[in-house]
Amino acid sequence: MVKGKSYLDITIEFLQKIEKEQAKNFEKAGQVIGDVLMKDGLLHVIGTGGHTDIPAYDMFYRAGGLVPVNYIIPIGALYGACGATHGMRIERCPDYMNRVVDYYGVKAGDVAIVFNNIGVNSATIDAILECKKKKAYTIGVGGSEWQEKIPKDHFTRHPSRQNMIDLVDLFIDDYNPVGDSVMEIDNFDRPFAPISAMTDGYIVRRIEIETIKYMVNKGVTPKVWMSANRVGGDEANTKYVEEYFNRIKNL
């Protein structure tokens, strides 16, 4: 937590740290995803609890974003869909998210990005383990600090006590601090202003950018959605909808 700095300054510092220390991981993610998409595989995106669904959702059916993205919706854990405390209960429930991943048809040769800043709850670990069981390549986006500092016997952990960082094939650190909030002021008793939406939004775009650049450099035209609100947008997107309608559940 920081006193005396603006949220803008703090955000810039986080993004600069991510860019400096995770650039090679962005490049690696772009190569892996690009290779999968060039073989007609899918990119599955999963937010396993609370607001970590936001970056996953932001990769799906997004103007300027990749087309072959299967957004896996943990409907029981979505705060806005079923109630916040209901969703929090579900994200801590073992043997739930693995069933959701199975329903969405993750397959060998696909790649899956699992987003969860904390990286230890049951939904997160079950999603990763199920994707690995399906022989998909797994990318985790979360905060290493949470995984290091939450006690092994903490009740929010998966029964296996494992961490995201130790399970996924590639880990991208968003440097989310314990508690997420990054500002403090005098005469107020708790930190506020979460940072994860800013950092994870940046990470999402960097992964997409590296994927598209990699595919173009390989001589392949990436499938990218055009805004439906610009001239020719619907026409450009129709062929993609027809191609993926029976492969991506939420199209």
Side-chain angles (χ1 to χ4, degrees):
M1 284 75 74
V2 180
K3 283 186 178 181
K5 288 186 179 180
S6 71
Y7 189 69
L8 175 61
D9 288 337
I10 296 168
T11 300
I12 290 171
E13 288 177 4
F14 266 88
L15 298 185
Q16 288 176 333
K17 180 179 177 66
I18 289 169
E19 185 59 41
K20 179 180 178 181
E21 299 185 8
Q22 298 299 312
K24 291 189 181 298
N25 287 333
F26 293 143
E27 184 177 348
K28 175 64 175 177
Q31 292 172 358
V32 170
I33 296 168
D35 285 337
V36 166
L37 299 187
M38 287 189 290
K39 294 177 182 176
D40 199 33
L42 291 178
L43 167 60
H44 305 275
V45 292
I46 314 163
T48 52
H51 293 82
T52 53
D53 182 68
I54 294 172
Y57 177 53
D58 198 38
M59 296 187 79
F60 175 66
Y61 197 61
R62 187 71 160 85
L66 295 164
V67 171
V69 174
N70 185 32
Y71 169 44
I72 295 180
I73 306 177
I75 195 69
L78 284 181
Y79 290 6
C82 62
T85 58
H86 177 282
M88 188 167 60
R89 287 175 171 87
I90 294 298
E91 72 185 49
R92 296 173 177 176
C93 181
D95 199 34
Y96 170 76
M97 199 62 205
N98 52 319
R99 297 172 184 270
V100 176
V101 169
D102 179 63
Y103 169 75
Y104 274 88
V106 176
K107 294 181 173 57
D110 288 344
V111 58
I113 305 177
V114 179
F115 295 91
N116 191 274
N117 302 123
I118 302 168
V120 304
N121 68 22
S122 289
T124 300
I125 302 305
D126 279 343
I128 295 168
L129 292 175
E130 187 67 17
C131 288
K132 293 181 76 67
K133 177 181 173 183
K134 304 288 188 185
K135 302 189 184 307
Y137 187 97
T138 54
I139 299 172
V141 177
S144 58
E145 182 178 318
W146 278 99
Q147 296 169 61
E148 293 165 0
K149 292 184 177 179
I150 290 184
K152 285 294 184 182
D153 61 350
H154 197 265
F155 71 95
T156 61
R157 280 187 172 273
H158 185 268
S160 70
R161 310 304 183 200
Q162 296 180 94
N163 292 327
M164 169 193 278
I165 194 171
D166 300 317
L167 292 174
V168 293
D169 298 299
L170 177 66
F171 179 72
I172 296 175
D173 202 332
D174 66 4
Y175 303 105
N176 188 256
V178 172
D180 200 352
S181 301
V182 294
M183 293 189 69
E184 288 184 330
I185 56 174
D186 293 332
N187 303 314
F188 190 60
D189 67 349
R190 67 197 60 188
F192 61 100
I195 194 68
S196 57
M198 308 299 288
T199 55
D200 291 351
Y202 182 77
I203 287 169
V204 160
R205 298 285 90 84
R206 288 293 284 111
I207 291 172
E208 291 172 339
I209 289 166
E210 291 300 326
T211 302
I212 291 167
K213 286 167 56 180
Y214 177 75
M215 294 176 71
V216 170
N217 288 337
K218 289 287 185 178
V220 176
T221 301
K223 297 171 182 176
V224 171
W225 295 110
M226 186 182 291
S227 172
N229 296 301
R230 61 177 288 186
V231 175
D234 281 348
E235 292 78 5
N237 292 336
T238 295
K239 62 179 182 180
Y240 294 139
V241 172
E242 291 175 350
E243 181 178 356
Y244 287 98
F245 192 79
N246 293 316
R247 294 182 63 193
I248 296 175
K249 286 186 181 292
N250 295 303
L251 277 183

